[in-house]
Amino acid sequence: MTKRFNSVEDMIDSIYEDKPQAKETKAFLRSKQLSRILTLLRTHANLSQEDMAKKLGWSQSKISKLEHLSNDDFNMGDLEAYTDAMGFNIEISFPRKHATLVDKVKYSFFQMKGYLDKLTGLAGNDAKIQNGVNKFMSEAGFNLMLEAASCLEKGKPKRREAGISIRPPMLESESEREAAELLTA
Amino acid sequence: MAWQLEYAEGFLSHFRRFEKGHSSECKAMLANLKTFFKALEEGIKPASFTPGFVHREGVGIKALDQKGADLKKPKQTRLYVYAEEERTILHVIIVGDKESQSKDVLFAKRYVDDLRKGQGI
């Protein structure tokens, strides 16, 4: 049977017999992460390299070059202009190196709480907007609980099924019950 | 979308031989393969994904080139792939350079033809 891979990285491990070379190739792939994101964002926006070049007043070859740059070679100004042309902002975050997944969940939670507070603040004394915000909050709260419950369910340890389960027989009539009682007495 | 990769019979040994003389180009083609694969996973149709490194070779075959290689003058190389949308499998068929291009395209076309025949398409 032909071997299948879930990622290009898994395929690389199979291609290169030399482990350091596989590692080096995967590092090269990681170094292109930012340019990969830009290419995919542009495609999702249904824009060709030519369209982008026109929007930015750049040459198409500059767009092509940008979409193959290594992470280290990006110029912040070009990156900002490119993302802005597609209607995106850039956010840079500085998570601690040793932050655990739990830390990240907590961080995201407080960040989200901040956004929700901002949203509430926007409503001010306008009853109509406040009503809309409340409706959104209820929906968001419900969806969050639903997702949390789904995660909880996935995390539950699977109960081991016994090979044979023994239960008392299901009896149809009173006489059968009496007979069974006699037998077990 | 859960896509998977599968390489054609003989691809592995062929790639290993080819890679010896084209190490940087191969790395770049694999980086471009990663971008192509990611596009499929994000639901982009293979036909509508047309960045500069993707060349159409007919019957759905795409040749991914070495753009992005860390060389001043990289050699023109191609990695031939076919995205089978029905089973969400990206077939990695053959690797080659400009000299072997016509032979490689023919091989890739035969591969896709056999694949389709096998599925009654």
Side-chain angles (χ1 to χ4, degrees), chain B residues 42-93:
Chain B
E42 290 186 9
I44 297 170
K45 289 269 168 201
S48 55
F49 189 58
T50 55
F53 66 82
V54 176
H55 307 267
R56 293 177 195 192
E57 299 293 350
V59 292
I61 296 163
K62 307 272 192 276
L64 314 181
D65 72 21
Q66 77 302 324
K67 275 194 191 73
D70 51 3
L71 288 174
K72 277 243 161 84
K73 278 190 177 172
K75 228 178 156 194
Q76 285 280 321
T77 54
R78 301 279 190 267
L79 181 67
Y80 296 86
V81 298
Y82 173 72
E84 189 192 345
E85 291 180 75
E86 298 79 16
R87 291 193 298 159
T88 57
I89 296 171
L90 180 59
H91 297 264
V92 183
I93 308 168

Side-chain angles (χ1 to χ4, degrees), chain A residues 4 14-15 21 24 44, chain B residues 6-7 16 19 27 42:
Chain A
R4 290 203 185 128
S14 154
I15 288 177
Q21 207 181 354
E24 196 186 305
H44 279 299
Chain B
E6 184 178 308
Y7 43 63
R16 283 173 182 162
E19 195 271 335
K27 266 193 233 161
E42 290 186 9

Side-chain angles (χ1 to χ4, degrees), chain A residues 11-23 25, chain B residues 7 12-13 15-17 19-20:
Chain A
M11 199 180 103
I12 287 171
D13 282 331
S14 154
I15 288 177
Y16 291 93
E17 287 166 310
D18 179 28
K19 293 290 160 218
Q21 207 181 354
K23 209 174 156 187
T25 306
Chain B
Y7 43 63
L12 205 58
S13 54
F15 184 92
R16 283 173 182 162
R17 271 197 312 275
E19 195 271 335
K20 289 206 162 62

Side-chain angles (χ1 to χ4, degrees), chain A residues 68-128:
Chain A
H68 286 287
L69 276 185
S70 293
N71 298 345
D72 295 345
D73 298 330
F74 269 95
N75 162 320
M76 203 57 196
D78 285 351
L79 182 62
E80 203 182 349
Y82 188 101
T83 48
D84 184 62
M86 289 185 294
F88 287 95
N89 282 328
I90 301 171
E91 278 186 7
I92 298 176
S93 65
F94 300 96
R96 291 202 177 274
K97 252 188 171 176
H98 304 294
T100 63
L101 274 174
V102 171
D103 292 333
K104 286 177 184 174
V105 170
K106 282 182 188 168
Y107 177 79
S108 303
F109 174 78
F110 285 113
Q111 202 176 25
M112 194 167 63
K113 191 186 172 305
Y115 290 140
L116 292 174
D117 285 344
K118 257 188 194 171
L119 202 63
T120 313
L122 280 178
N125 290 324
D126 191 313
K128 206 175 166 188

